[in-house]
């Protein structure tokens, strides 16, 4: 049971580290490998799966978050850039990170070098 919970913890830390959360999955990965209690292959596979799924969540957020830009909690288009007087909305950190992902997916026909 202890071993299973360690793998679940590693997965969650790796998943969170690959998203917008400031987690250090490398520390947990190295700690598990150096402890000698875990087989290296499953440890690496669990950490890889967590990082991959976290990166896929970031991609999805960057791709589809623009659908919510008319919502009240979508802070980018309702407030001036920079620090907000009342702090971030509950989803402010998540939205800000997703907006950064959306910047890098602009279509080629809007790059300013086309006649369109």
């Amino acid at each position: 049971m202890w071993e299973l919970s360690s793998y679940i913890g590693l997965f969650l830390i790796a998943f969170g580290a690959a998203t917008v959360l400031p987690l250090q999955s490398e520390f947990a990965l190295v700690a598990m490998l150096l402890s000698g209690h875990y087989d290296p292959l499953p440890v690496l596979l669990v950490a890889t799966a967590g990082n991959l799924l976290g990166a896929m969540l970031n991609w999805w957020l960057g791709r589809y978050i623009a659908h919510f830009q008319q919502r009240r909690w979508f802070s980018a288009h309702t407030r001036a850039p920079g620090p907000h007087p009342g702090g971030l909305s509950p989803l402010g950190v998540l939205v800000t990170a997703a907006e950064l992902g959306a910047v890098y997916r602009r279509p080629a026909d809007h790059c300013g070098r086309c006649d369109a």
Side-chain angles (χ1 to χ4, degrees):
M1 184 66 175
W2 178 256
E3 188 171 327
L4 178 63
S5 63
S6 297
Y7 285 117
I8 292 171
L10 176 64
F11 176 84
L12 293 174
I13 290 172
F15 181 85
T19 60
V20 298
L21 301 175
L23 299 175
Q24 299 295 321
S25 63
E26 294 84 5
F27 178 76
L29 175 68
V30 170
M32 286 181 74
L33 290 174
L34 291 179
S35 72
H37 298 311
Y38 304 97
D39 188 25
L41 183 61
V43 169
L44 293 174
L45 290 175
V46 167
T48 301
N51 275 300
L52 179 65
L53 291 174
M56 290 171 65
L57 175 65
N58 272 349
W59 174 84
W60 182 84
L61 288 172
R63 180 90 172 137
Y64 295 106
I65 198 72
H67 297 285
F68 301 107
Q69 68 185 4
Q70 301 303 321
R71 304 285 175 108
R72 221 174 107 215
W73 50 263
F74 196 89
S75 63
H77 299 288
T78 59
R79 298 183 183 131
H84 304 302
L88 290 174
S89 64
L91 296 175
V93 173
L94 185 63
V95 170
T96 303
E99 290 165 359
L100 292 175
V103 168
Y104 294 107
R105 66 170 189 84
R106 296 185 193 264
D109 59 343
H110 291 92
C111 66
R113 290 179 263 157
C114 306
D115 294 322

